[in-house]
């Protein structure tokens, strides 16, 4: 779940970066402006919650594997296969870092949406 969620957010971020490059080079948005601001805001929110959910679930599972509280093929998985648990901890940490960046993008797209609704322009200046 952690890997799949991070992969989905990565693909979304690449697509969003492509849309921003399109806007910078062409001078207009791919979608109509009203739809574009809602699209950006909605997807930033959904993907921020997705990556946070995956990282939280991964954290719970990693803690359980380290203490041996869950039954997998062997008890104390992290004591027997330490490399796997270190990699899992790194992946979970990167997931939380991704949440910070996607949530920041959500705040900025929320600002753009509010500016658009108030002034009919995505940029308040």
């Amino acid at each position: 779940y952690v890997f799949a969620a991070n992969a989905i957010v990565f693909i979304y971020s690449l697509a969003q970066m492509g849309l921003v490059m399109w806007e910078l080079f062409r001078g207009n948005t791919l979608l109509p402006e009203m739809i574009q601001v809602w699209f950006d805001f909605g997807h930033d929110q959904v993907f921020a919650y997705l990556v946070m959910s995956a990282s939280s679930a991964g954290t719970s599972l990693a803690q359980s594997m380290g203490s041996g509280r869950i039954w997998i093929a062997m008890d104390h998985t992290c004591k027997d296969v330490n490399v796997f648990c270190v990699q899992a901890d790194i992946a979970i940490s990167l997931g939380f870092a991704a949440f910070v960046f996607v949530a920041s993008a959500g705040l900025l797209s929320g600002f753009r949406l509010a500016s658009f609704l108030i002034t009919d322009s995505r940029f308040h200046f």
Side-chain angles (χ1 to χ4, degrees), residues 58-59 62-63 78 82-96:
T59 299
Q63 286 178 340
C78 287
N82 191 35
V83 174
F84 171 75
C85 291
V86 169
Q87 291 174 345
D89 290 342
I90 291 170
I92 292 165
S93 299
L94 289 174
F96 281 119

Side-chain angles (χ1 to χ4, degrees), residues 21-58:
M21 297 303 289
W22 172 280
E23 185 177 346
L24 288 175
F25 290 128
R26 297 285 178 122
N28 61 352
T29 59
L30 189 61
L31 300 171
E33 195 168 15
M34 177 63 132
I35 295 172
Q36 186 71 46
V37 293
W38 281 103
F39 178 87
D40 292 345
F41 178 71
H43 283 86
D44 285 347
Q45 294 295 313
V46 167
F47 288 120
Y49 289 123
L50 175 69
V51 77
M52 177 56 106
S53 168
S55 297
S56 298

Side-chain angles (χ1 to χ4, degrees), residues 1-21:
Y1 179 55
V2 172
F3 177 76
N6 285 329
I8 290 168
V9 170
F10 173 73
I11 291 168
Y12 165 72
S13 297
L14 283 179
Q16 190 68 5
M17 189 169 41
L19 288 173
V20 168
M21 297 303 289

Side-chain angles (χ1 to χ4, degrees), residues 65-119:
M65 286 188 334
S67 65
R69 286 187 305 219
I70 63 169
W71 183 84
I72 299 183
M74 61 185 102
D75 280 343
H76 304 287
T77 304
C78 287
K79 292 178 183 169
D80 296 333
V81 188
N82 191 35
V83 174
F84 171 75
C85 291
V86 169
Q87 291 174 345
D89 290 342
I90 291 170
I92 292 165
S93 299
L94 289 174
F96 281 119
F99 168 75
V100 169
F101 288 108
V102 176
S104 299
L107 287 173
L108 291 174
S109 64
F111 173 75
R112 287 177 61 180
L113 176 63
S115 294
F116 183 79
L117 293 175
I118 294 169
T119 65

